[in-house]
């Protein structure tokens, strides 16, 4: 009796990395970031909302809504206002430019602080250590 081995193929895992100001930090697998939906991530004690749009572009912004103070922006909707890709807050519906965090509706939060969200550089990177053999 002989056995035959089935061919194997290599699966390549892609990781999402966010730059924390000093180096790139792996935060999740690319397939965990569903197009059109946000994910809340913890980066050095700060909450970050990460998004992937349907074209595959990645964005990372503060998760804290400056108008309500709630950490909910990862639950917001992404879309566009004309040519500008936006995140719509699930609280009071302000629109934020996904590219630079600028609020398109109001310049200041109720406490007088800037309504602009912090943004982080984000990328997808192949992680060879995550390669697995699949039958």
């Amino acid at each position: 009796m002989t056995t035959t081995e089935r061919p194997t193929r290599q699966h390549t895992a892609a990781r999402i990395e966010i730059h924390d100001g000093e180096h790139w930090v792996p935060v999740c697998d690319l397939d965990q970031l569903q197009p059109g939906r946000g994910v809340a991530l913890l980066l050095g004690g700060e909450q970050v909302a990460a998004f992937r749009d349907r074209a595959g572009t990645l964005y990372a912004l503060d998760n804290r809504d400056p108008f309500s103070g709630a950490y909910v922006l990862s639950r917001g909707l992404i879309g566009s206002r004309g040519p500008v890709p936006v995140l719509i807050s699930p609280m009071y519906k302000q629109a934020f430019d996904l590219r630079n965090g600028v609020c398109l509706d109001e310049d200041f939060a109720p406490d007088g602080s800037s309504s602009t969200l912090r943004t982080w550089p984000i990328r997808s990177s192949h992680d060879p250590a995550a390669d697995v053999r699949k039958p």
Side-chain angles (χ1 to χ4, degrees):
M1 182 167 139
T2 62
T3 60
T4 56
E5 289 185 27
R6 294 193 321 181
T8 61
R9 63 188 171 125
Q10 192 157 354
H11 172 72
T12 304
R15 299 281 294 161
I16 297 295
E17 298 175 334
I18 296 177
H19 199 275
D20 67 0
E22 295 180 20
H23 57 281
W24 289 98
V25 178
V27 291
C28 68
D29 289 335
L30 179 62
D31 62 358
Q32 292 175 304
L33 199 54
Q34 298 292 319
R37 296 185 179 225
V39 172
L41 304 165
L42 193 57
L43 182 68
E46 295 187 62
Q47 286 194 32
V48 177
F51 297 91
R52 178 167 57 146
D53 67 16
R54 299 201 187 284
T57 305
L58 301 171
Y59 303 96
L61 306 98
D62 267 333
N63 194 35
R64 183 180 178 277
D65 180 337
F67 295 94
S68 68
Y71 291 86
V72 295
L73 291 179
S74 63
R75 299 293 179 214
L77 299 173
I78 62 171
S80 63
R81 222 185 240 183
V84 178
V86 296
L87 165 64
I88 306 297
S89 170
M91 297 301 289
Y92 301 122
K93 313 305 183 233
Q94 285 88 358
F96 299 91
D97 186 328
L98 281 165
R99 301 167 301 180
N100 57 24
V102 171
C103 182
L104 303 178
D105 298 316
E106 301 180 51
D107 294 332
F108 300 98
D111 65 2
S113 64
S114 172
S115 61
T116 299
L117 302 174
R118 179 177 175 188
T119 60
W120 284 265
I122 184 171
R123 70 181 184 187
S124 173
S125 176
H126 170 66
D127 180 2
D131 283 352
V132 293
R133 302 285 256 168
K134 294 235 177 189

